[in-house]
Amino acid sequence: MKTTAYAFIFFFFFATWISCGKKSAGTTQDQNESDSLITITQAQFDAMGMALGVPQQVTFRETVKVNGKVVASVNGQAQITSRVSGTVKSIHREIGDYVPAGSVICSIESNDYITLQEEYNAVSNSYRMAKANYERLSALYRDSIASKKDFQMAESAFKSIAAQYEALTQRLNLLKADAKEIENGKIFSILPIRAPIGGYVTQINCVIGEYVTPEKTLMTLVDIDKVYLQLNVYEKDIAALAVGQKVEFYNPNNPDSIYSAQLSKIGKAIDPEKKSIVCIADILSPRKSDFVNDMYVEAQIITGERQAVGLPEEAVVKVGEEYRVYALQEKKGDNYLFKSVKVSVGEQSSQNIELTGDVPQGQLLVRGVYSMP
């Protein structure tokens, strides 16, 4: 009987110990789960500008990053010279001025210009006389009044002087001079220099009183409406390019202003110094006045696009070698309970980051993540 009583008492205490142990273990587990949650009050949520969201289908771009510059096309820039030697009499424009095509930008006082006009005047008089004599003998020769020899001599003299007359006329035309006025006896000492294209003055290389020759560049004009992108692309990236692809570019000094262009030409030779290939893109942005010739730019050529599940970039934080998001577990009254969840990421753009593998369900913290304790 005593043995049985002792056995019963031992069993009672053993069962009670096991029961208490299980209860203690369950309480600890619940406590650990509670400790792993982050509580944010409504006031904190509002003050830190937090927002909730869910993973969505996002467009991710495949791009090639390049650099380059804005340059004027061959028909959009001009170097202004004087076709005759002389002294700069006046300069009518300043750097930055817009110059319409055909307008006078400076003037040259030139003895050579005077000499050319004198020569033209003399040849013009000889030409008229030779022409009249040729026409007279031509009529007489047809009527068998003048000899063939006299006619041929008159014809030869007329063709010779006509060639000189035409050459001098063309020289005056190149100078934009009025040949008819010169034929009527007017001689000009000042040669106006006119803009061959419309554009902005980017360089002035002369001063008043300077003696200049035809080899001297007086001014440089650039037509901003005829600029394009010259991009330097590394050889390894050329295979991904195709004419017609969209290009986005910006000046590093103003990265918030993004402009668009379209790839129009792909180079066929490698620059031995830069180890890159020059490609051309036509600028599509309407405000070309924002650009200047030779302006450095950074750009990305969009070679492809695809859809994938993603979140705003600020919704994902990197902790060590892991990427994590904050998933809303529940909302109790004015309290938000979040749990840090590990995720796998893929492509990353300037705004979104791709989620791969198991994507967390439910609402996630998408703004204000970096304010989490």
Side-chain angles (χ1 to χ4, degrees):
M1 290 295 291
K2 290 183 178 180
T3 302
T4 303
Y6 285 135
F8 176 77
I9 293 171
F10 175 78
F11 176 77
F12 174 77
F13 281 109
F14 180 77
T16 302
W17 179 77
I18 292 295
S19 175
C20 290
K22 288 183 177 180
K23 183 177 181 181
S24 176
T27 302
T28 302
Q29 182 177 354
D30 292 342
Q31 185 67 36
N32 288 339
E33 289 182 358
S34 177
D35 290 344
S36 67
L37 298 180
I38 302 173
T39 302
I40 299 294
T41 66
Q42 186 67 56
Q44 291 174 319
F45 191 91
D46 296 336
M48 293 186 287
M50 291 181 170
L52 299 173
V54 296
Q56 295 181 344
Q57 288 289 324
V58 178
T59 299
F60 287 92
R61 294 172 170 177
E62 297 174 359
T63 62
V64 173
K65 293 186 177 181
V66 297
N67 57 47
K69 60 182 179 178
V70 174
V71 297
S73 70
V74 292
N75 294 317
Q77 54 185 324
Q79 291 185 337
I80 312 303
T81 62
S82 172
R83 294 183 181 274
V84 295
S85 299
T87 302
V88 178
K89 178 69 175 178
S90 59
I91 299 174
H92 304 288
R93 301 291 179 175
E94 298 285 349
I95 291 179
D97 287 348
Y98 179 78
V99 179
S103 62
V104 177
I105 55 178
C106 64
S107 58
I108 304 296
E109 193 172 39
S110 173
N111 287 326
D112 290 351
Y113 184 40
I114 295 174
T115 301
L116 176 62
Q117 294 173 83
E118 290 174 340
E119 185 179 354
Y120 176 79
N121 216 330
V123 170
S124 175
N125 291 332
S126 298
Y127 168 79
R128 287 194 295 270
M129 293 176 60
K131 182 180 180 181
N133 188 46
Y134 166 71
E135 290 174 347
R136 181 178 64 82
L137 287 175
S138 178
L140 293 175
Y141 178 69
R142 284 195 302 270
D143 295 337
S144 300
I145 297 175
S147 67
K148 182 178 181 179
K149 180 179 178 181
D150 291 340
F151 167 72
Q152 289 177 335
M153 289 178 62
E155 181 183 40
S156 177
F158 171 67
K159 288 182 177 181
S160 177
I161 198 68
Q164 296 179 51
Y165 176 76
E166 180 63 23
L168 290 172
T169 301
Q170 293 302 324
R171 288 180 64 184
L172 290 175
N173 288 339
L174 290 175
L175 299 175
K176 308 298 181 184
D178 191 335
K180 293 299 181 182
E181 286 192 336
I182 296 172
E183 278 189 286
N184 291 331
K186 288 188 176 181
I187 301 295
F188 304 93
S189 62
I190 306 297
L191 173 66
I193 306 297
R194 300 180 182 275
I197 64 171
Y200 291 89
V201 179
T202 59
Q203 288 184 349
I204 297 178
N205 303 317
C206 60
V207 294
I208 294 175
E210 179 183 3
Y211 183 80
V212 296
T213 62
E215 294 79 19
K216 168 79 172 182
T217 298
L218 305 178
M219 293 186 185
T220 302
L221 301 181
V222 172
D223 185 353
I224 297 300
D225 290 330
K226 294 182 180 179
V227 295
Y228 59 82
L229 285 186
Q230 181 177 295
L231 304 173
N232 302 314
V233 182
Y234 289 112
E235 182 182 5
K236 64 181 180 63
D237 296 322
I238 285 294
L241 303 189
V243 171
Q245 289 173 336
K246 185 179 178 181
V247 179
E248 293 181 345
F249 68 99
Y250 61 91
N251 184 326
N253 295 323
N254 189 16
D256 293 333
S257 296
I258 307 296
Y259 301 96
S260 59
Q262 187 175 50
L263 197 65
S264 58
K265 294 181 178 65
I266 299 175
K268 304 300 180 184
I270 298 177
D271 187 321
E273 293 183 1
K274 297 180 180 179
K275 305 298 181 183
S276 60
I277 299 172
V278 173
C279 297
I280 302 300
D282 296 328
I283 297 175
L284 303 178
S285 298
R287 292 179 55 189
K288 292 188 177 181
S289 59
D290 291 347
F291 311 131
V292 295
N293 195 35
D294 288 331
M295 182 178 79
Y296 176 81
V297 299
E298 293 183 0
Q300 60 177 6
I301 303 171
I302 301 170
T303 59
E305 294 182 338
R306 64 184 180 85
Q307 296 290 316
V309 177
L311 284 172
E313 185 183 23
E314 62 178 318
V316 183
V317 293
K318 188 175 183 182
V319 182
E321 297 300 320
E322 296 180 348
Y323 290 89
R324 290 186 169 272
V325 296
Y326 290 92
L328 179 66
Q329 300 302 293
E330 61 177 317
K331 188 174 186 297
K332 290 183 177 180
D334 287 340
N335 293 331
Y336 295 85
L337 275 65
F338 292 98
K339 183 178 181 180
S340 176
V341 179
K342 179 182 176 181
V343 293
S344 299
V345 302
E347 293 292 329
Q348 191 169 349
S349 69
S350 59
Q351 296 179 334
N352 299 294
I353 187 167
E354 179 186 4
L355 298 183
T356 60
D358 294 333
V359 178
Q361 302 300 311
Q363 289 189 309
L364 306 175
L365 189 63
V366 296
R367 195 171 68 230
V369 173
Y370 291 96
S371 299
M372 292 291 283

